[in-house]
């Protein structure tokens, strides 16, 4: 590893990187959690972070860059203490998501993937508009550090960012409490501070009543999905392969 990467990431991160790699039969499969690990240390994926991943996974820097620049969850500039993601996809937009995003832009004085405050310092926020956050039944939604705030309005969202800027403890609509962008990235890399934190993420507390309603109605009526039929696989001629 280069001296600079060694200094930035340190022995503990190198050890955790090896732990991630050991989860997979092929080291290259570990790239996505590795990039989250880098973000948990630096608050974004730097050029040095991509080099670190390439070295740990025996990939080229170009291969790592191709992935890091494709997925929007990998940030190319330092994030604030919290990442505020406003859904502006079709349903949320129609239900008020566009108005929420416009309100936060105006209030914070920043645009997409821009940060108010000193990145990483308490009270700093990075704003982004996001594609569907998979909670359309609770639209319009936003997330802070990937935790949900359901059925928002421009006013409730403005109050939320005021409280985050002031460093207040804020409880999402469901799921575990907020611990900051870097801590969320650490979880996405697969690291949890003890059993209690792991259970708080996977015990179902993030489910919403509205989301489960369809499954409950189906259970009450005895409805089930139809059996999956075997679909014949068409023959492929030798020359067409
Ligand atoms: S459109 Fe916003 S959560 Fe799906």
């Amino acid at each position: 590893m280069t001296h600079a990467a060694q200094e930035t990431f340190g022995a503990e991160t190198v050890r955790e990187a090896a732990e991630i790699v050991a989860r997979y039969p092929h080291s290259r499969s570990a790239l996505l959690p590795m990039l989250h690990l880098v973000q948990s240390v630096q608050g974004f994926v730097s050029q040095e972070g991509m080099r670190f991943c390439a070295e740990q996974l025996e990939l080229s820097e170009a291969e790592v860059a191709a992935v890091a620049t494709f997925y929007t969850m990998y940030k190319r500039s330092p994030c604030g203490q919290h990442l505020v993601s406003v859904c502006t996809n079709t349903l949320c937009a129609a239900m008020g998501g566009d108005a929420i995003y416009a309100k936060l832009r105006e209030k914070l004085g920043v645009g997409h993937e821009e940060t108010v405050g000193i990145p990483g310092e308490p009270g700093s926020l990075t704003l982004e508009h996001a594609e569907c956050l998979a909670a359309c039944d609770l639209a319009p939604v936003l997330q802070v550090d990937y935790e949900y705030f359901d059925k928002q309005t421009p006013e409730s969202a403005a109050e939320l960012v005021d409280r985050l800027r002031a460093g207040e403890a804020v409880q999402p609509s469901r799921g575990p409490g907020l611990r900051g962008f870097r801590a969320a990235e650490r979880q996405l890399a697969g690291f949890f501070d003890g059993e209690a934190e792991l259970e708080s993420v996977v015990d179902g507390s993030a489910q919403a009543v509205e989301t489960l309603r369809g499954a409950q109605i189906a259970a009450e009526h005895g409805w089930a999905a139809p059996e999956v039929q075997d679909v014949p696989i068409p023959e492929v001629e030798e020359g067409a392969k």
Side-chain angles (χ1 to χ4, degrees):
M1 188 167 28
T2 61
H3 183 65
Q6 179 91 52
E7 274 189 0
T8 303
F9 293 98
E12 180 61 11
T13 306
V14 172
R15 189 195 63 72
E16 290 181 337
E19 204 177 312
I20 293 174
V21 172
R23 295 176 195 153
Y24 300 90
H26 305 291
S27 63
R28 63 191 300 127
S29 305
L31 180 53
L32 298 185
M34 280 285 289
L35 287 165
H36 286 300
L37 181 67
V38 163
Q39 289 203 127
S40 76
V41 176
Q42 292 194 297
F44 73 122
V45 178
S46 64
Q47 197 65 38
E48 193 179 28
M50 288 195 270
R51 194 172 306 129
F52 174 75
C53 291
E55 287 169 354
Q56 301 300 312
L57 305 178
E58 297 180 357
L59 294 170
S60 70
E61 286 183 47
E63 287 173 311
V64 175
V67 172
T69 56
F70 180 81
Y71 293 107
T72 56
M73 286 179 84
Y74 300 122
K75 306 304 180 192
R76 297 308 321 282
S77 58
C79 272
Q81 180 191 19
H82 297 291
L83 172 66
V84 179
S85 314
V86 181
C87 180
T88 53
N89 212 311
T90 310
L91 183 61
C92 280
M95 298 285 284
D98 280 348
I100 291 170
Y101 182 68
K103 176 78 175 178
L104 296 190
R105 267 190 75 148
E106 181 197 347
K107 183 174 183 60
L108 299 173
V110 294
H112 179 62
E113 292 194 337
E114 292 178 354
T115 299
V116 58
I118 300 170
E121 292 294 311
S124 57
L125 304 182
T126 298
L127 178 66
E128 68 175 0
H129 56 74
E131 296 302 319
C132 181
L133 296 173
C136 313
D137 46 352
L138 299 155
V141 299
L142 63 81
Q143 290 180 330
V144 178
D145 308 329
Y146 305 117
E147 299 299 339
Y148 284 102
F149 290 79
D150 303 328
K151 300 176 182 173
Q152 292 293 292
T153 64
E155 293 72 31
S156 66
E159 185 190 331
L160 170 62
V161 297
D162 275 343
R163 294 182 64 194
L164 293 172
R165 292 283 286 144
E168 289 182 33
V170 175
Q171 187 59 36
S173 301
R174 49 205 163 92
L178 300 184
R179 298 180 58 226
F181 175 72
R182 293 191 189 201
E185 286 299 312
R186 199 169 157 70
Q187 291 183 346
L188 288 167
F191 293 104
F192 298 88
D193 293 335
E195 285 295 312
E197 186 181 293
L198 177 60
E199 282 171 20
S200 77
V201 174
V202 300
D203 72 355
S205 62
Q207 294 170 345
V209 173
E210 291 85 343
T211 310
L212 297 176
R213 193 162 288 148
Q216 282 168 349
I217 291 171
E220 284 163 16
H221 290 77
W223 298 337
E227 292 281 312
V228 177
Q229 304 292 322
D230 278 345
V231 179
I233 300 170
E235 293 285 323
V236 180
E237 286 178 29
E238 198 54 37
K241 284 182 183 172

